[in-house]
Amino acid sequence: MSGQKIIRSGAPGWPSFPPKPTLPGLLDGLKVSQWWLPEDLTQAQQPQLAFLAQWAATQVPWYEGTDWARPAARALAAAQAAATGGEPEAFWSAWRSLPLLTKPELRALGGKLNARSVPPGHAPLGTLRTSGSTGIAVEVRTTAATRQLWDALTVREHLWFRRDFTRRAGFIRFRKRDERETDGVVRPSWGPPVALLYRSGPSSAMHIGKPLEQLAAWLTSFDPTYLLAYPSIMGPLMDAVAAGGGRPRSLEEVRLISEPLDPELQARLATEWQVRSTDLYSANEVGYIAFRCREQGKLHVQSESLLVEVLDDAGNPCAPGETGRVVVTSLHNLATPLLRYEIGDYAEVGAPCSCGRGLPVLARVMGRVRNLIRTPDGRHYWPVALGRIRTVLPIIQTQFVQTALDAVELRVVLNRALSPAETADAVEKARQCLGYPFTITLVPVAEIPRGPTGKFEEFLSLVEPAQ
């Protein structure tokens, strides 16, 4: 293996961290491993994946009870030894023979996927419950190791963008009910993990469900340098701030999370507010999946934390430029090992980035199957730039719901009734956005609710995929 390597301690984990890892120690390791060659990164994942398979086969009730688990673990161990001896493809061939774990299976299996114990230093355990946009709960245990690595990657993303921690940071996101009591309160620091390592400026947070006017007033008065928010709130928020006569004076960057990034929103932020925007790709069950480098804006997989496979319909790895299903394995979660977990997203594989980091690249993250447009002529694709429909001025918010192969319901929140000409304009723009002459039914509504965790789906398909 070429390049500088992190010295392994013999404890489970990669980059190798001691039984009680320190945040500075993890960051030091991540600063080195990001520059490894791609082949070194994938080779370094192999022993941890082999360890995970063995751990699951002996510690996790569901894996322990399956016919394939123990033979698979033995095969992976043998393949890993062969790979170390100069046959790298032997390991990945064995790995790709393991079945996928789907989200419905994760929901159904529940506690059967939890290990009976974890190694010393991985306790205490925590629990993550996520219902996403469907309202169907998924529960995964976390460990001290996974939480510490999450913190280290959070700081890594800040460092990649060279953010000034002494400036003000604002957050608009889903907040638990007890957290909402402190909405708008100015705190003296950014909080952990940044405040554990650096002196930082003040921060303030607001729940995504607050009235738009209240969010706009808070943004204007708190005036952060950095703002974290969902893409779906930013367009309406920009309109509300503009109605008040301006833009946040100090804002330099908007960090967008949880929803697909709209290129038109990115362009609008750059043009109207002259601010940079970037997005993060994550899932509660596995943590950070990818985030962008500042140099080229490429979306880099966080390979020290997880293995990401993008697979075609036949289960083979996609090449750069190809789109497939995202399958994730968390490298360090020994409490709820998720081996080859199909999270339900589709992504396009990207070419290596010229920034010099060996971390794999995702060119685009398209979204879920339920966000896929299907047409009578057999095409299927993800919508882009749906926000242009809001150039019809009375429209405040929209949601496209495909109800049949040739029909879409356009739900609209209005500030007044549409005229016949505006209705015709909205229908035509909707067809342009969708790229097909659907039958469009406009349905005025008082509000379009967000999902249980504050996410908003601008396009939702009720059409079952063809078998």
Side-chain angles (χ1 to χ4, degrees), residues 399-456:
Q399 184 180 53
F400 297 77
V401 180
Q402 185 171 7
T403 56
L405 279 177
D406 60 352
V408 170
E409 181 178 285
L410 177 56
R411 300 170 184 173
V412 291
V413 178
L414 306 169
N415 57 23
R416 62 168 172 79
L418 293 171
S419 69
E422 289 169 334
T423 299
D425 188 23
V427 167
E428 180 55 32
K429 281 189 168 63
R431 289 176 177 144
Q432 292 173 7
C433 289
L434 298 173
Y436 187 84
F438 289 104
T439 297
I440 305 290
T441 303
L442 259 71
V443 180
V445 295
E447 66 173 342
I448 302 173
R450 292 178 175 272
T453 57
K455 295 181 182 179
F456 178 74

Side-chain angles (χ1 to χ4, degrees), residues 14 45 48-49 52 303-307 329-333:
W14 183 88
Q45 289 176 323
Q48 182 65 12
L49 291 169
L52 274 174
S303 294
E304 299 95 338
S305 176
L306 39 74
L307 169 69
T329 301
S330 178
L331 293 175
H332 308 294
N333 191 346

